[in-house]
Amino acid sequence: MSKYNLKPLANFTPFDGPLLFIIMDGVGLGPQDESDGVFLAYTPTLDKLMAEEPLFTKLKAHGLAVGQPSDDDMGNSEVGHNALGAGRIFPQGAKLCNEAIASKRVFDGETWKAVVKRAKDGGTAHFIGLLSDGNVHSNIQQLLDILDQCVVEGVSRVRCHILTDGRDVGEKSAPGYIESLEAKLTECSADGRDYRIASGGGRMYLTMDRYDADWPMVERGWKTHVLGEGRQFASAAEAVQTYYAEDETVTDQHIHEFVIAEAGKPVGTIEDGDAVVFLNFRGDRGLEITRCFEEGDEFTEFDRVRQPDVYYAGMMQYDGDLKLPKNFLVQPSKIDGTISEYLCGAGVKSFAISETQKYGHVTYFWNGNKSGYISEDLEKFVEIPSDNMTFDKRPWMKAGEITDTLLDAIKSGEYKFVRANMPNGDMVGHTGHVLAVRISVEAVDLGLERLLVALKKAGGIAVITADHGNADCLFTVKNGVRETHVAHTLNPVPFIIKDYSGANTFKLRDMDTPGLSNVAATLINLLGYEQPEEYDPSLIELA
């Protein structure tokens, strides 16, 4: 018998149709002006719901409300889906790692000691990761602090392999981060030490693929970081400025690979006896490069040419079920008692879908960073393959295909709880392309219109929200100059309940600052159960 048991909600009348939960990824509520891509888009369905539906409110989707270090920190899809699926707030990677490094607790662990031992036994300590302070995948300050500790512990040779951001931070902000890192490396390279940048490239061009969407990205990263293959430069700063000059449209996330070399020889290939640390604390874009280092002959994604004998570690463990990586510096929060565990315990059949870019968010992150099914008898997951191109070229993405599949799931009558992520607002929002962003939001709105028609016929209930903002900010103005904005926002997100069942009457609770963590209890109430005691309060109550 499952330990996750739900009690029936008193005075609740069962209804025929399904509960449909739509996450409009990256669709926040902005200032409703020319900078707001959601406002500029033609969204008659969403506009009508927010204007006329009494069960509409705004949710906080950033900062402390999703387990980030402070309210100055944006939300993201990982922490957003953790909060949505877990029903309460857990400390997230940025906060956990900041605290572990600031307290120096991380340097007392066996993993760190093993990294230092390899480096002091004649090897090199290599650090690979996203170079920015976006606090979504990584934070440059953590790297700078780690480099200081390497000096303290007598590590003589360090190589950094940097991935330029331009997505969670300014689209051409890499030079500033490189300057900060180079200053630290110069400071550390005293008394005979040798600390340098060895290679790099843009996060959307090499290394940081996710969900098996584009393994050639990872292959390019492997060749660049490990084998030292790629276009050579004297410094990372020179590489970035050269790519800027050659193509004025290129942004940091799409910079091609670069290898730092002297006299035609790479300064930092990864060799037998070295230690390698992948610095990203967020898991989705760390899993594939981790597999490259940890899997043996069973690895078949591409020809690695050689697999050096290294001690490999992640900043955190990226998949607790698969135990990837085996070694990691900071222990993740253990997220248990997710809504899916409770619904499976109650025998509720569910269906989850997204396209590749967000499939793991509506499954893995939703389920507390756990891969696979909780119950193969009660759950079905569907992944629609994403287009392999920049998303401003096809801003409608797979919204149509996701909608078609959802319509089939609704009409089947097989599933009581159906959830989906529509990635458009986030993935296209990261491109900063104004027209494409508007089209992306409109594609989602069109999908909502079609879904609501089917849901009304089935007598179901729709719940519509977002995990964070993005498309709601196209640009900012600094010193009178307009700058394209491609990162997430601190804006609230919509929360809408559209009830076609007619079975029960709910009203919104009076809450000071409702957030994403209140959604799970709300969904459980709508399905006719009392919320688990440990969950944050539901947004609704029976009227």
Side-chain angles (χ1 to χ4, degrees):
M1 184 176 181
S2 172
K3 66 177 180 178
Y4 299 112
N5 299 309
L6 294 173
K7 297 178 181 179
L9 188 64
N11 301 317
F12 180 86
T13 301
F15 60 99
D16 293 332
L19 174 61
L20 173 66
F21 182 52
I22 300 294
I23 302 165
M24 305 180 297
D25 211 297
V27 177
L29 297 172
Q32 297 193 344
D33 59 20
E34 64 175 337
S35 72
D36 184 346
V38 176
F39 173 69
L40 293 177
Y42 178 65
T43 54
T45 305
L46 194 57
D47 293 346
K48 184 176 182 180
L49 288 170
M50 290 192 293
E52 299 179 1
E53 180 54 55
L55 295 177
F56 162 69
T57 190
K58 300 176 182 180
L59 303 182
K60 185 177 178 182
H62 76 282
L64 300 176
V66 289
Q68 294 285 64
S70 77
D71 278 340
D72 292 329
D73 294 301
M74 69 184 85
N76 62 65
S77 297
E78 175 189 16
V79 300
H81 285 77
N82 277 170
L84 287 167
R88 60 245 199 247
I89 301 164
F90 288 85
Q92 291 292 339
K95 184 175 183 178
L96 293 170
C97 293
N98 285 346
E99 292 175 349
I101 293 172
S103 68
K104 297 193 180 297
R105 185 174 68 252
V106 68
F107 303 125
D108 294 328
E110 293 304 314
T111 297
W112 175 254
K113 291 177 181 178
V115 170
V116 171
K117 185 177 187 304
R118 278 288 184 113
K120 294 179 73 171
D121 285 348
T124 299
H126 296 266
F127 298 100
I128 307 172
L130 187 66
L131 189 73
S132 80
D133 57 359
N135 244 19
V136 175
H137 292 268
S138 66
N139 192 318
I140 185 176
Q141 188 58 51
Q142 294 171 6
L143 171 58
L144 301 182
D145 291 343
I146 287 172
L147 292 173
D148 282 337
Q149 186 67 22
C150 286
V151 171
V152 169
E153 300 206 29
V155 174
S156 60
R157 183 178 164 89
V158 167
R159 292 294 183 265
C160 296
H161 306 264
I162 63 171
L163 301 166
T164 53
D165 193 341
R167 189 176 177 90
D168 299 325
V169 293
E171 60 181 357
K172 287 193 174 184
S173 57
Y177 295 113
I178 291 171
E179 182 180 1
S180 297
L181 177 57
E182 289 283 24
K184 175 60 69 176
L185 293 171
T186 298
E187 174 189 323
C188 292
S189 293
D191 303 322
R193 289 183 294 272
D194 180 13
Y195 287 33
R196 305 183 64 174
I197 295 175
S199 72
R203 58 177 286 179
M204 295 301 288
Y205 186 74
L206 72 163
T207 308
M208 280 178 58
D209 183 44
R210 65 180 177 192
Y211 310 146
D212 300 315
D214 188 4
W215 271 98
M217 275 180 62
V218 189
E219 182 177 9
R220 287 192 291 269
W222 180 267
K223 289 179 176 179
T224 303
H225 309 317
V226 177
L227 306 181
E229 297 179 2
R231 187 174 176 183
Q232 295 185 349
F233 295 89
S235 69
E238 178 190 73
V240 170
Q241 292 299 341
T242 299
Y243 283 126
Y244 284 173
E246 291 177 348
D247 180 359
E248 63 180 15
T249 68
V250 75
T251 60
D252 293 342
Q253 57 182 315
H254 297 293
I255 285 174
H256 283 206
E257 75 278 3
F258 55 85
V259 174
I260 310 307
E262 289 181 346
K265 183 178 180 180
V267 301
T269 55
I270 298 175
E271 305 293 338
D272 292 347
D274 290 348
V276 178
V277 177
F278 193 69
L279 291 166
N280 291 17
F281 43 71
R282 175 165 155 171
D284 55 347
R285 294 191 183 274
L287 279 169
E288 291 174 37
I289 191 65
T290 293
R291 286 183 54 199
C292 296
F293 281 102
E294 295 211 336
E295 290 184 7
D297 293 341
E298 71 273 20
F299 183 86
T300 59
E301 302 298 344
F302 62 86
D303 181 5
R304 291 173 291 187
V305 183
R306 62 180 177 86
Q307 184 185 17
D309 177 12
V310 301
Y311 182 86
Y312 180 83
M315 180 66 84
M316 302 184 77
Q317 187 167 64
Y318 305 131
D319 192 312
D321 287 348
L322 299 176
K323 307 301 180 187
L324 288 172
K326 295 187 291 291
N327 308 304
F328 50 96
L329 294 174
V330 179
Q331 184 71 40
S333 292
K334 180 176 175 55
I335 301 177
D336 59 359
T338 63
I339 183 174
S340 290
E341 289 172 307
Y342 275 107
L343 294 183
C344 285
V348 176
K349 294 198 71 172
S350 65
F351 181 92
I353 184 173
S354 188
E355 61 177 276
T356 305
Q357 288 296 328
K358 297 291 181 174
Y359 172 73
H361 291 77
V362 82
T363 54
Y364 170 82
F365 289 122
W366 175 270
N367 286 334
N369 305 338
K370 301 180 186 73
S371 299
Y373 289 104
I374 294 167
S375 169
E376 292 189 14
D377 294 331
L378 294 172
E379 298 177 295
K380 183 175 181 180
F381 300 162
V382 174
E383 175 185 355
I384 305 294
S386 290
D387 293 316
N388 191 5
M389 62 177 63
T390 57
F391 296 106
D392 56 324
K393 302 297 190 295
R394 293 180 65 86
W396 46 89
M397 299 180 65
K398 298 296 181 180
E401 291 86 340
I402 292 172
T403 300
D404 289 343
T405 309
L406 285 172
L407 290 173
D408 289 340
I410 292 169
K411 293 173 184 176
S412 75
E414 185 177 354
Y415 307 100
K416 195 63 182 178
F417 179 53
V418 178
R419 66 182 183 271
N421 181 297
M422 295 285 200
N424 306 57
D426 187 40
M427 300 308 297
V428 183
H430 281 305
T431 71
H433 191 291
V434 175
L435 179 58
V437 171
R438 291 173 59 180
I439 293 171
S440 76
V441 177
E442 291 167 1
V444 172
D445 193 80
L446 181 59
L448 288 178
E449 180 186 28
R450 297 175 62 205
L451 290 168
L452 293 181
V453 170
L455 199 63
K456 182 177 182 179
K457 185 176 181 179
I461 302 173
V463 177
I464 303 162
T465 191
D467 52 347
H468 57 77
N470 186 332
D472 42 292
C473 185
L474 297 168
F475 63 85
T476 57
V477 179
K478 295 181 180 178
N479 300 319
V481 178
R482 181 181 292 193
E483 296 183 3
T484 300
H485 188 274
V486 295
H488 298 168
T489 71
L490 305 184
N491 290 327
V493 299
F495 180 83
I496 304 160
I497 300 174
K498 184 64 177 178
D499 186 356
Y500 294 109
S501 72
N504 302 278
T505 302
F506 288 95
K507 64 179 181 180
L508 290 172
R509 292 182 189 271
D510 185 15
M511 302 176 68
D512 290 337
T513 311
L516 295 183
S517 63
N518 299 106
V519 171
T522 309
L523 296 173
I524 286 174
N525 284 169
L526 289 169
L527 287 166
Y529 300 97
E530 292 183 9
Q531 72 170 71
E533 291 183 1
E534 70 271 25
Y535 274 22
D536 288 346
S538 172
L539 295 161
I540 59 171
E541 57 188 358
L542 279 168

